[in-house]
């Protein structure tokens, strides 16, 4: 399918379609909306942002029954996820779809009149369930991840040699995301520091995301995010060495829409003297 996606992406002209799966919080598909995309769609993927994936899409829905159920009753979106697929028609009018990610609906809107029938959806990825933007706040108390494991009574656990057992980052990360009901995850055991070096305390009013970033930042080269399939991932940031090439210059040449560059010659120095 990847080759087919590359082929249609390199067409000179494009007709964009979309289908949107409406999912409940158990990731089960409960409905689908399809339609023609208006003025394209915007999808962002910013690895430096708390909310890594965002989107905005406007479409003319083709299924009025689903439209009446979900678009006219906006409160129906509050306990739903959406999974968006963008399709491109090829020369044979066949549509190739690409998964653009699973999102929480943010500020949906519906416009209907004699000339207009559009649905606009803004989406934010599932990290919003951890940051406090859409839930994620801890109960009204301080929360602690201890450096050493404790039993249910708060007593330190010791191994067979009488030594205190350190808390593992992977286990602490798993317990943290489960506070927000996250069930799909892939969590690596980080190195070189796989255990919690000292107690982590989150004050009253903190969020699950505060726990996640505190654990993530123990090892500087690790990241925590949700992928396009709504799976929480905690892993090492790829170095780029020996990584497979997904897009080369031949592809960029065909898909580039605009280009702008400038050079500041005032910043060019012929030589530098050190005193």
């Amino acid at each position: 399918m990847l080759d087919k996606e590359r082929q249609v992406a390199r067409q000179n002209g494009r007709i964009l379609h979309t289908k949107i799966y409406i999912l409940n919080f158990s990731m089960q598909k409960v409905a689908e909306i399809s339609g023609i995309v208006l003025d394209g769609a915007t999808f962002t993927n910013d690895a430096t942002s708390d909310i890594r994936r965002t989107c905005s899409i406007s479409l003319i829905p083709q299924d009025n029954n689903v439209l009446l159920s979900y678009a006219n009753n906006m409160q129906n979106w509050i306990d739903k996820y959406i999974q968006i697929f963008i399709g491109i028609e090829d020369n044979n009018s066949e549509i190739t779809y690409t998964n653009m990610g699973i999102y929480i609906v943010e500020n949906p809107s519906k416009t209907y009149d004699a000339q207009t029938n559009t649905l606009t959806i803004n989406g934010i990825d599932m990290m919003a369930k951890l940051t406090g933007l859409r839930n994620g706040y801890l109960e009204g108390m301080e929360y602690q991840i201890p450096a050493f494991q404790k039993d249910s009574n708060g007593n330190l656990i010791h191994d067979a040699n009488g030594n205190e057992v350190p808390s593992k980052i992977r286990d602490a990360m798993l317990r943290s995301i489960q506070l927000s009901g996250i069930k799909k995850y892939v969590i690596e055991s980080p190195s070189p520091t796989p255990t919690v070096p000292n107690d982590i305390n989150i004050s009253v009013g903190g969020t699950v995301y505060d726990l996640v970033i505190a654990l993530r930042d123990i090892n500087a080269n690790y990241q925590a995010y949700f992928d396009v399939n709504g799976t929480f991932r905690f892993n090492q940031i790829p170095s780029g060495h020996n990584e497979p090439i997904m897009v080369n210059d031949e592809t960029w040449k065909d898909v580039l829409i605009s280009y702008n560059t400038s050079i500041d010659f005032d910043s060019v120095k012929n030589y530098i003297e050190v005193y």
Side-chain angles (χ1 to χ4, degrees), residues 75-113:
Q75 68 273 14
N76 286 343
W77 297 103
I78 195 68
D79 61 345
K80 301 293 188 299
Y81 298 132
I82 57 170
Q83 185 173 15
I84 301 178
F85 297 84
I86 294 295
I88 303 177
E89 270 191 36
D90 63 14
N91 296 328
N92 297 320
S93 299
E94 295 181 357
I95 304 173
T96 300
Y97 283 98
T98 299
N99 178 16
M100 303 302 294
I102 295 178
Y103 301 87
I104 296 173
V105 178
E106 184 79 351
N107 304 325
S109 64
K110 170 71 167 60
T111 301
Y112 180 82
D113 56 36

Side-chain angles (χ1 to χ4, degrees), residues 231-252:
T231 300
F232 176 85
R233 292 185 177 271
F234 175 61
N235 55 28
Q236 190 171 15
I237 299 173
S239 65
H241 297 300
N242 298 320
E243 294 288 339
I245 297 174
M246 302 298 294
V247 180
N248 56 24
D249 289 341
E250 290 299 318
T251 302
W252 287 124

